[in-house]
Amino acid sequence: MKPGETPDFAFAGNPLDRMANRRRDAQWLEEIASGSVRIVRIHGDKAAIAGPAAAERVPQIVLGRDSAGTYWIAERADTADGLHDIRGMASAGMLPAEDLAIIAQARSLIAWHERRSFCSNCGAKLEIADAGYRRHCSACEADHFPRTDPVVIMAAVSPLGILLGRQSSWLPGMYSALAGFVEPGETLEEAARREIFEEAGVPVGDVRYAASQPWPYPSSLMIGLLGEALDTAIKIDESELETARWFPIEEAKLMLEGKHPEKLWASRPMAIAWHLIKAAVQSA
């Protein structure tokens, strides 16, 4: 993951021009409705892309325009019929990376709208505005905007190797980098140090940025970091982790290759965690 490099994990590399400066233009929305569009249909964690086809009505959620000039819109499907699991499509490489990134955008927006029908200020019904990027309350004039939740995920390294942990709910043998939500008033570095110490009892010094990944479950931004551990003693928080351990570089490499003698493995290539572990192995 070099500076300026397009990551090859899932949901990154969205090619659309989001055209944010046109979202309040009613005539523009009418023009989209009179042409052909591609539709991303979402139902829970499942999705499908339809079109190009004639738009049936003025779109409420416009994702953007591709290089061919086709507009993409998002809609909530009433059922999951004909849709496919998003994680499954990403893991199996069923769609081009660009399409997966557009699906992630659509899934996050639809999930937000499903949870923002009423004003949290006064309780009145909200109206969809700005081509799906705002909900407005005509009762109290409050505006509500889609949220993105920052999550730090870090591969901490020491002379013993790479610190990885696992939760009991994960698939057997899977280990990953430790992660957690950024709290109010924290820098990314502070959040990463806090999470590593809270979950594994390991203090971390230097922290450097590696890459980021949109994660539409429902709308997180995974911020990938590499950190230098100041101590190697581990004391896990059992409410967060089943276990954590230091993996020597050669072991971590075998996990990435699916060749670990204990049948342990490092997340999946669709996730930023796998690429962080790979980056830590390569920098060792």
Side-chain angles (χ1 to χ4, degrees):
M1 289 182 287
K2 299 177 181 178
E5 179 179 72
T6 301
D8 58 356
F9 40 69
F11 312 130
N14 192 319
L16 297 184
D17 176 355
R18 300 190 181 211
M19 305 190 74
N21 60 332
R22 300 294 303 275
R23 289 174 183 161
R24 296 192 180 188
D25 186 339
Q27 182 178 349
W28 176 67
L29 293 175
E30 292 282 355
E31 290 172 0
I32 294 174
S34 66
S36 66
V37 296
R38 301 206 69 181
I39 304 170
V40 183
R41 292 193 167 92
I42 302 289
H43 186 89
D45 291 346
K46 294 187 176 183
I49 298 173
E56 297 177 0
R57 56 186 176 275
V58 174
Q60 288 191 307
I61 303 175
V62 179
L63 302 175
R65 183 178 63 185
D66 63 24
S67 59
T70 303
Y71 283 95
W72 291 63
I73 66 176
E75 292 182 354
R76 183 187 182 278
D78 293 331
T79 72
D81 293 345
L83 308 186
H84 303 279
D85 180 74
I86 297 171
R87 278 191 181 91
M89 289 192 290
S91 296
M94 292 172 60
L95 291 174
E98 293 84 357
D99 287 359
L100 280 172
I102 296 170
I103 285 175
Q105 179 188 359
R107 201 275 177 191
S108 291
L109 281 169
I110 292 293
W112 178 75
H113 281 287
E114 289 175 340
R115 292 163 174 79
R116 285 295 180 276
S117 297
F118 298 94
C119 179
S120 57
N121 187 48
C122 74
K125 183 76 172 179
L126 293 173
E127 305 163 356
I128 297 178
D130 291 4
Y133 282 82
R134 177 169 62 97
R135 274 191 176 248
H136 179 70
C137 179
S138 58
C140 71
E141 297 299 319
D143 286 316
H144 304 262
F145 299 91
R147 60 181 291 170
T148 297
D149 300 315
V151 178
V152 287
I153 179 166
M154 183 162 70
V157 297
S158 78
L160 296 183
I162 305 170
L163 178 65
L164 302 176
R166 64 169 277 108
Q167 297 179 6
S168 58
S169 61
W170 292 353
L171 293 172
M174 175 181 162
Y175 278 77
S176 185
L178 306 189
F181 288 98
V182 179
E183 294 188 351
E186 279 188 316
T187 66
L188 300 179
E189 294 85 356
E190 289 166 350
R193 293 184 185 108
R194 174 182 55 78
E195 284 292 339
I196 297 293
F197 189 75
E198 287 177 352
E199 294 188 3
V202 174
V204 172
D206 290 341
V207 173
R208 64 182 177 90
Y209 173 80
S212 61
Q213 178 186 29
W215 192 251
Y217 298 100
S219 187
S220 295
L221 178 64
M222 307 298 291
I223 301 158
L225 304 166
L226 297 170
E228 180 182 337
L230 301 177
D231 196 352
T232 57
I234 295 175
K235 183 179 179 181
I236 67 168
D237 178 351
E238 295 181 355
S239 67
E240 294 280 349
L241 298 176
E242 178 184 74
T243 185
R245 58 188 267 195
W246 292 102
F247 286 89
I249 296 301
E250 286 305 314
E251 270 196 62
K253 185 177 180 181
L254 291 174
M255 292 170 72
L256 292 169
E257 296 171 350
K259 299 177 181 179
H260 194 278
E262 299 174 48
K263 297 184 178 180
L264 306 181
W265 50 286
S267 189
R268 295 190 186 280
M270 66 167 283
I272 192 172
W274 190 93
H275 296 267
L276 283 175
I277 298 166
K278 180 180 177 182
V281 167
Q282 291 176 339
S283 64

